Amino acid sequence: MKKLLFTITALLFSMVVSAQDIFDNASLHGSFQTDVQFYRPDAAIGIYDSTIAGRKIGINGFTNLTYTLGKFKAGLRYEALLTPLAGFDPRQEGNGFPNVWVNYNTDFIEITAGNFYEQFGNGLVFRTYEEWTLGYDNSMNGMRVVLFPTKGLTLKGVYGSQRFFWQKYERNNRGLVRGADAEFSFNDAFSKLDEAGLRLSVGASAVSRYQRDADPIYKLPENTGAFAGRVNLGAGNFNFMTEYAYKINDPSAINQFIYSNGQALLSSFSYSQKGLGVMLQLKRVDNFSFKSDRAETANALDINFIPPINRMHAYSLTAKYPYATQPNGEMGMQFQLNYKIPKGTPLGGKYGTGISLNFSQVNDIVRDTLDKEYRGTLGYKSDFFKVSDHIFFRDLNVEVEKRFNSKLKGVIQYMNLLYDIAVIEGHTGEEAVKANLAVADFTYKFNSRNALRVEAQGMWTKQDEGDWAALMAEYTIAPKWFMALSDQYNYGNPDPDKRNHYYTISGGYTHESTRIALTYGRQYEGVVCVGGVCRQVPASSGFTVTISTNF
Amino acid sequence: MKNIFHLPAILLLLSLSFSGCDKIEPPFKEGGGGQVTNDTRKILLEDYTGHTCVNCPGGARLGHELVHLYNGQVIMIGVHAGYFARPKAAPFDADYRTEAGTAWDNFFGISAAGNPMGMVNRVNNQGAYNVTAANWATAVGQAAQEKAALSLNIQTTYNSTSRNLKVELESKVIHPLDNKLMLIACIIEDSIVSAQSNNDPNVGATPTIPDYVHRHVLRGSINSPWGEELAAAGQATANATFSKTYTLDLNSAYNDQHVSIVAFIYDDTSKEVLQVEEKKIR
Amino acid sequence: MKKLLFILLLLVPMSHLFSQESQLPKVNIKTLNGQSFNTADIKNDGKPIILSFWALWCKPCQKELDAFNEVYEDWQKETGLKVVAVSIDDSRSTAKVAPHVKGKGWEFEVLLDPNGDFKRAMNVNMIPHTFLLDGNGKIVSQHTAYFDGAEQELYQKVKKLVGKK
């Protein structure tokens, strides 16, 4: 009897612990962020009570939750933009669960049902992603299957409809997207390549969009296909990557309803070794906007992603004139050199000095218009290798980074910019902006916890708003506190009434992954007329509170 | 064993490539609208625009193409509202904004989504009323297939010396309607010449067309921005008739040769426009 | 014989508690060379790992990784820890990451997450976001934002982990 009891107890115990063990593999993680802005009238920068029109508070917030149980995962995102912050598309106003998904993941197959994000190659024919700071989310709502049939081969298949703000998919209110991608990595399949120091992988994708033709004026193709092929080749310190994409006739609002096919090419060569990195990138885009809704002109419903190949800037003035890809046509190049002067040498100093050089230029393509009528015709012919004389964008950056002693280090940057504001921001008729900029960013550590960072910037130009100067001082007490004061002063504006100070005072507290920040000040305005639509991003003034956490 | 997956993968990609696209051969344009009778449901196309909006002439051109294509079934009005309609330094010192236009723009959230932007019969798509210019053709095509629930007739009597205008509106119900119906009567002035920003060389000079012809400009509502009640809920039974009369003195700034009255009836609950009519006063 | 069976029965469930399986989500991303890499393979032989999300355009991230790089050799000698830096730069910058990392002379392992799949799976919203993982791949602590000197406090936590073992 005792033995039986003992056996049963032992069995039950092991069962209970095993059952708990299944749930030991279970976890719930998530994140939360909310931004609240209080707007106040500010006559100096043109904000009156009528501009605010009663919308005194803007609140953006979202929460992500992921539940993991062994090979299964389920997640959702709740968003509430009531009302969206200034600068966000007003159609984002709403609340609900725009993102819900379930995922099953094994070594052979991975399935996602619900909303998902995916990228084929570099994204030239398919990329769904989200960037909440820009209010961008083109997630696919459908199914995604990934197969790993043999070592080195990855097959992906997707289908669904894309997110369009809060509008649910209803029959014919936008297009449907389906796609497939195959990637083969020779290194994973054949280990001999690793030994030879070679790396090779190839990939191919095909994506198609279906949208009904209910247009009484044009005969529109209901199924539009785009294809891409890519190669990634590496040998030792060298790397070469190229992707070519082709799109069959896709008359849309962006390309003014022409019936010509589109092409895109992205290539890069790079060499990297310890202390030295060199990179050259080339790009050609010809009629390559690809959206779920051919009539959409806003920054939404893009099926693909054409990467801009110029440097992303990290300071407020250097980032004032950012380049935006022109999907209708551009020829671009970018060259970058990173070098670290070794420590101990006369130029390098005690700690070494970092030098970075970056040059990029984007021109228009050459077009031979076929029909003066343009809309509803084959549009134009464009020679693949010809580059137009019209420069959309050009920038040259030289950056030197040095640590002087254990307390002081800094960065100095010089930038020269040519920015065709008429094309990039749609300010038709305005002269291209030619500017010289300089930035000095120094950090001084008082002791192991306290540091002061001072940033001084200047922009000198005769166009658009004229000269700017910016100064920022940030005091940090690691690891929790920061306080900052900053001002951007448009002292060179041709209109004396517009020579404003855009000041902000901010401070915050960070504990592990929870962050609370307060900012008070003025935000700059903008007018953008791209994609066939003109939009005004209003200036704003007031308090902003940001709270975010992770669990 | 490994290789059996390569073949289906290639076949899948190939099959997608052949079935996934339609290649259209020229000609790329097609037909048009039908005949207009008394029972036709006319379509109200509202173009929210502004004289400093560089993309707006392109949008207006699209709208006119539709008006032309549909032989009188589409009635277009240009509502100047929002940031790009604000008067600025000369030559953009004209002010075509109206109390009604601004009220509609704010309520339906049109210019906030960009200009040019419009509405077709104020149809609500899951909370969004705005239709981008490139979608006007499709939206009009769909609306053109709807049947009229009521007819609308406008009679005008105008004295060019005293500028006194009498507007008589009569509506007859064809299919009964349950909700409350509202009627708005607007003054539209056509062919106003003043500067317009432009970025489309096919439409005119860039960046400014100094003598742009602004078509069908909304000058105001005769009976308040949201109109007057035409029929209370449940009153619109089959064959019922309703009428309204308005008298006013036409503003001296308007060129009466180009003035017309555009009146439309809408469902007060859904805001959808059920019938619209246009009549020149001279 | 029966006693042996009982002991074995009791030991079987206990073995799960000493699992060496990583607790990080399994996501397919890429190495710095563009080769495929599964995040389940982020391991350090039972020693701690610092996992940091960064991007070329994020200045505080650059400062944090520079700070790690300056003391990496010493930290490795003392605790055997490993730093894994995951770049969330998208395809506009993918080709620039390797030249930048090598040009700066960063010694640690860098991974590429161009579509943010790993970043989303780890619930990262703002960068820099740095996790400290123990020898079993379990998240011991995490912090967002970087202020000069914060790496010292992180290192204290690493030492505690190693000291514990």
Side-chain angles (χ1 to χ4, degrees):
Chain A
M1 190 55 199
K2 264 194 191 165
K3 278 188 187 163
L4 193 61
L5 214 58
F6 205 53
T7 320
I8 294 172
T9 317
L11 265 170
L12 279 172
F13 179 70
S14 65
M15 265 165 40
V16 165
V17 178
S18 296
Q20 270 190 341
D21 177 61
I22 297 177
F23 287 98
D24 270 347
N25 256 341
S27 61
L28 184 65
H29 289 289
S31 66
F32 164 83
Q33 179 161 344
T34 186
D35 289 67
V36 185
Q37 267 187 348
F38 300 87
Y39 301 113
R40 60 177 197 95
D42 194 336
I45 56 173
I47 306 176
Y48 305 97
D49 280 318
S50 56
T51 330
I52 298 179
R55 291 182 164 207
K56 292 196 177 155
I57 306 180
I59 310 183
N60 278 14
F62 64 87
T63 298
N64 275 306
L65 274 175
T66 309
Y67 181 72
T68 311
L69 181 62
K71 296 191 163 69
F72 283 93
K73 268 201 287 201
L76 52 77
R77 181 185 339 134
Y78 174 79
E79 273 178 29
L81 282 84
L82 306 164
T83 58
L85 299 182
F88 280 75
D89 194 308
R91 287 174 287 186
Q92 292 202 286
E93 182 171 333
N95 55 3
F97 294 90
N99 207 300
V100 181
W101 53 271
V102 179
N103 176 288
Y104 175 69
N105 192 347
T106 71
D107 287 336
F108 179 69
I109 188 170
E110 184 187 340
I111 304 180
T112 310
N115 294 78
F116 62 86
Y117 299 100
E118 178 60 73
Q119 177 173 321
F120 290 168
N122 287 297
L124 286 181
V125 287
F126 187 80
R127 179 185 185 205
T128 55
Y129 67 106
E130 48 86 31
E131 188 52 66
W132 98 271
T133 51
L134 297 175
Y136 191 88
D137 182 1
N138 65 343
S139 69
M140 280 277 275
N141 185 337
M143 286 193 70
R144 164 181 174 264
V145 178
V146 184
L147 285 170
F148 308 95
T150 75
K151 208 159 193 322
L153 181 63
T154 307
L155 296 174
K156 290 181 188 170
V158 298
Y159 79 90
S161 69
Q162 286 188 291
R163 178 176 177 194
F164 186 57
F165 301 114
W166 295 100
Q167 206 184 64
K168 278 199 155 65
Y169 173 77
E170 254 172 25
R171 208 158 157 239
N172 299 322
N173 74 352
R174 51 184 173 279
L176 297 172
V177 181
R178 3 325 113 123
D181 180 90
E183 185 166 305
F184 187 64
S185 160
F186 284 82
N187 287 64
D188 286 342
F190 311 110
S191 55
K192 284 207 198 112
L193 281 171
D194 279 331
E195 292 161 29
L198 286 172
R199 300 173 295 274
L200 176 63
S201 69
V202 296
S205 355
V207 177
S208 143
R209 171 203 73 215
Y210 166 76
Q211 189 179 16
R212 202 169 74 91
D213 172 20
D215 191 304
I217 301 178
Y218 298 108
K219 257 194 276 180
L220 298 167
E222 295 194 326
N223 289 296
T224 308
F227 314 93
R230 60 188 183 270
V231 174
N232 203 314
L233 177 65
N237 289 338
F238 290 91
N239 210 75
F240 169 68
M241 185 286 298
T242 188
E243 185 167 357
Y244 175 75
Y246 193 78
K247 181 181 66 142
I248 315 289
N249 57 200
D250 179 23
S252 69
I254 300 272
N255 69 8
Q256 303 219 33
F257 288 92
I258 54 172
Y259 286 73
S260 55
N261 298 332
Q263 300 178 73
L265 174 70
L266 184 66
S267 299
S268 67
F269 311 81
S270 71
Y271 173 79
S272 346
Q273 67 169 52
K274 179 153 182 230
L276 173 69
V278 184
M279 186 233 40
L280 175 68
Q281 223 172 359
L282 299 167
K283 175 169 80 152
R284 178 185 167 85
V285 177
D286 176 8
N287 183 15
F288 224 72
S289 157
F290 192 30
K291 287 183 186 277
S292 269
D293 181 359
R294 59 172 89 82
E296 187 55 47
T297 48
N299 197 16
L301 288 180
D302 283 295
I303 299 172
N304 67 348
F305 173 69
I306 310 170
I309 55 164
N310 51 290
R311 182 185 162 141
M312 269 180 99
H313 290 281
Y315 298 102
S316 54
L317 291 187
T318 57
K320 201 171 261 301
Y321 295 112
Y323 181 67
T325 305
Q326 302 300 307
N328 284 334
E330 57 177 27
M331 292 283 278
M333 63 84 61
Q334 182 182 198
F335 172 76
Q336 179 162 308
L337 171 79
N338 293 82
Y339 180 60
K340 182 151 186 175
I341 306 178
K343 42 175 124 176
T345 63
L347 269 174
K350 186 173 166 206
Y351 301 91
T353 303
I355 297 185
S356 148
L357 180 77
N358 178 294
F359 175 75
S360 75
Q361 180 166 326
V362 185
N363 287 44
D364 198 359
I365 56 175
V366 174
R367 291 187 185 84
D368 296 315
T369 312
L370 294 170
D371 192 319
K372 197 173 158 272
E373 179 55 37
Y374 202 70
R375 299 178 70 99
T377 70
L378 276 169
Y380 59 85
K381 259 192 148 64
S382 178
D383 189 306
F384 194 85
F385 295 102
K386 282 216 192 115
V387 180
S388 150
D389 289 328
H390 181 180
I391 303 179
F392 287 153
F393 181 88
R394 183 183 63 206
D395 80 342
L396 169 70
N397 294 279
V398 181
E399 194 179 283
V400 177
E401 199 182 323
K402 194 180 176 80
R403 175 175 275 288
F404 297 94
N405 53 49
S406 64
K407 289 190 181 300
L408 179 67
K409 69 175 177 177
V411 174
I412 297 185
Q413 183 183 346
Y414 164 72
M415 173 171 159
N416 180 286
L417 173 73
L418 172 64
Y419 184 83
D420 187 343
I421 199 171
V423 170
I424 302 170
E425 285 182 24
H427 294 194
T428 312
E430 279 181 38
E431 207 187 324
V433 176
K434 295 188 187 66
N436 282 303
L437 296 94
V439 178
D441 177 7
F442 284 83
T443 308
Y444 184 78
K445 265 171 90 159
F446 295 101
N447 53 47
S448 66
R449 288 213 183 287
N450 299 277
L452 175 69
R453 185 166 83 95
V454 177
E455 207 183 88
Q457 307 174 52
M459 168 148 66
W460 298 279
T461 175
K462 294 198 180 66
Q463 289 84 29
D464 200 30
E465 287 156 342
D467 301 342
W468 284 83
L471 189 66
M472 206 252 288
E474 181 183 57
Y475 188 79
T476 58
I477 304 173
K480 293 189 195 296
W481 297 94
F482 85 90
M483 274 138 274
L485 272 166
S486 83
D487 185 28
Q488 286 178 54
Y489 181 35
N490 191 197
Y491 69 90
N493 198 308
D495 180 347
D497 286 329
K498 291 206 177 144
R499 294 188 184 154
N500 296 307
H501 286 266
Y502 290 85
Y503 53 83
T504 57
I505 305 166
S506 49
Y509 173 77
T510 309
H511 174 72
E512 303 228 326
S513 59
T514 303
R515 183 186 145 101
I516 303 170
L518 267 90
T519 309
Y520 177 77
R522 282 174 169 173
Q523 228 176 2
Y524 193 61
E525 72 137 29
V527 169
V528 184
C529 291
V530 290
V533 183
C534 288
R535 262 196 66 212
Q536 187 225 7
V537 176
S540 61
S541 181
F543 242 116
T544 307
V545 181
T546 303
I547 303 174
S548 72
T549 189
N550 213 293
F551 50 87
Chain B
M1 183 61 195
K2 287 197 266 180
N3 296 317
I4 62 163
F5 284 104
H6 297 177
L7 193 59
I10 298 167
L11 282 175
L12 181 70
L13 278 167
L14 278 174
S15 58
L16 245 176
S17 58
F18 287 124
S19 64
C21 50
D22 301 331
K23 187 96 179 102
I24 306 277
E25 299 298 322
F28 301 117
K29 288 198 169 184
E30 56 189 357
Q35 291 288 59
V36 173
T37 67
N38 222 343
D39 283 352
T40 310
R41 181 172 175 180
K42 294 198 178 167
I43 302 161
L44 176 66
L45 171 63
E46 294 168 80
D47 171 17
Y48 284 72
T49 184
H51 55 181
T52 56
C53 156
V54 293
N55 288 305
C56 291
R61 194 169 77 128
L62 270 171
H64 293 133
E65 236 179 81
L66 282 170
V67 171
H68 184 76
L69 192 66
Y70 278 88
N71 290 328
Q73 193 183 357
V74 173
I75 295 171
M76 178 172 166
I77 63 172
V79 180
H80 290 241
Y83 175 80
F84 297 99
R86 286 189 205 167
K88 294 209 158 74
F92 300 105
D93 43 359
D95 191 357
Y96 304 125
R97 297 173 301 174
T98 58
E99 191 197 336
T102 305
W104 300 338
D105 192 39
N106 285 334
F107 180 82
F108 294 110
I110 307 298
S111 298
N115 296 95
M117 194 61 72
M119 289 196 277
V120 173
N121 276 349
R122 300 194 171 173
V123 168
N124 182 334
N125 277 314
Q126 292 183 38
Y129 295 89
N130 57 317
V131 182
T132 57
N135 257 332
W136 290 345
T138 310
V140 165
Q142 278 167 343
Q145 304 186 17
E146 311 267 335
K147 295 250 180 311
L150 25 67
S151 68
L152 180 58
N153 255 300
I154 308 179
Q155 297 281 14
T156 58
T157 321
Y158 180 66
N159 184 321
S160 50
T161 332
S162 65
R163 293 181 77 86
N164 185 275
L165 173 66
K166 180 162 141 190
V167 181
E168 289 161 278
L169 301 145
E170 196 185 295
S171 167
K172 182 162 173 190
V173 179
I174 304 170
H175 302 290
L177 298 160
D178 299 322
N179 294 336
K180 178 163 117 173
L181 303 175
M182 302 289 285
L183 170 78
I184 301 183
C186 315
I187 300 177
I188 305 290
E189 185 183 349
D190 198 9
S191 306
I192 307 179
V193 178
S194 75
Q196 168 73 46
S197 290
N198 176 45
N199 68 359
D200 189 347
N202 283 329
V203 173
T206 62
T208 309
I209 303 173
D211 48 1
Y212 183 76
V213 180
H214 297 276
R215 310 283 319 269
H216 327 288
V217 177
L218 173 72
R219 280 305 202 175
S221 162
I222 297 175
N223 56 355
S224 98
W226 295 104
E228 218 187 307
E229 183 185 295
L230 183 71
Q235 251 191 337
T237 53
N239 294 319
T241 54
F242 303 95
S243 53
K244 289 260 181 267
T245 307
Y246 301 103
T247 40
L248 60 130
D249 288 323
L250 193 65
N251 188 315
S252 54
Y254 307 159
N255 181 338
D256 54 19
Q257 302 265 22
H258 296 149
V259 170
S260 49
I261 300 294
V262 167
F264 56 96
I265 301 171
Y266 72 91
D267 178 319
D268 195 40
T269 314
S270 70
K271 307 296 179 218
E272 189 178 333
V273 172
L274 302 168
Q275 184 61 279
V276 56
E277 188 55 82
E278 181 178 26
K279 177 98 183 0
K280 278 195 79 169
I281 62 171
R282 283 185 71 168
Chain C
M1 189 54 195
K2 278 186 185 160
K3 276 192 186 158
L4 197 63
L5 266 167
F6 293 158
I7 296 167
L8 280 173
L9 264 172
L10 286 172
L11 280 175
V12 159
M14 299 292 195
S15 66
H16 288 281
L17 295 171
F18 298 105
S19 166
Q20 287 282 323
E21 227 184 274
S22 169
Q23 309 223 354
L24 290 176
K26 288 199 188 81
V27 181
N28 286 304
I29 55 178
K30 298 242 181 293
T31 65
L32 195 56
N33 280 327
Q35 304 291 292
S36 50
F37 182 89
N38 191 306
T39 57
D41 295 332
I42 296 177
K43 292 196 179 91
N44 192 20
D45 289 327
K47 285 176 274 186
I49 302 172
I50 290 180
L51 179 67
S52 182
F53 285 85
W54 67 285
L56 290 172
W57 44 264
C58 164
K59 278 267 169 248
C61 307
Q62 302 284 321
K63 288 180 95 180
E64 186 176 31
L65 292 172
D66 280 335
F68 288 157
N69 195 48
E70 277 177 18
V71 291
Y72 197 43
E73 228 182 287
D74 298 330
W75 283 8
Q76 272 190 312
K77 252 188 252 165
E78 217 185 314
T79 61
L81 81 81
K82 181 169 163 180
V83 171
V84 177
V86 182
S87 155
I88 61 163
D89 288 286
D90 64 21
S91 59
R92 75 183 280 176
S93 309
T94 302
K96 287 191 276 191
V97 181
H100 177 93
V101 168
K102 288 273 154 50
K104 280 204 142 198
W106 285 351
E107 302 278 350
F108 29 77
E109 188 177 336
V110 177
L111 298 171
L112 303 178
D113 184 20
N115 206 27
D117 297 324
F118 190 35
K119 158 184 163 257
R120 266 188 294 273
M122 296 291 284
N123 277 299
V124 170
N125 289 322
M126 289 198 287
I127 53 171
H129 197 126
T130 304
F131 298 86
L132 174 60
L133 312 171
D134 68 9
N136 293 324
K138 192 167 154 220
I139 299 168
V140 165
S141 86
Q142 51 181 300
H143 73 261
T144 182
Y146 172 72
F147 307 129
D148 291 82
E151 70 276 11
Q152 293 306 323
E153 205 171 287
L154 182 62
Y155 191 54
Q156 295 304 314
K157 292 196 185 134
V158 174
K159 283 206 284 199
K160 243 192 252 167
L161 270 179
V162 179
K164 218 194 211 168
K165 285 193 165 188

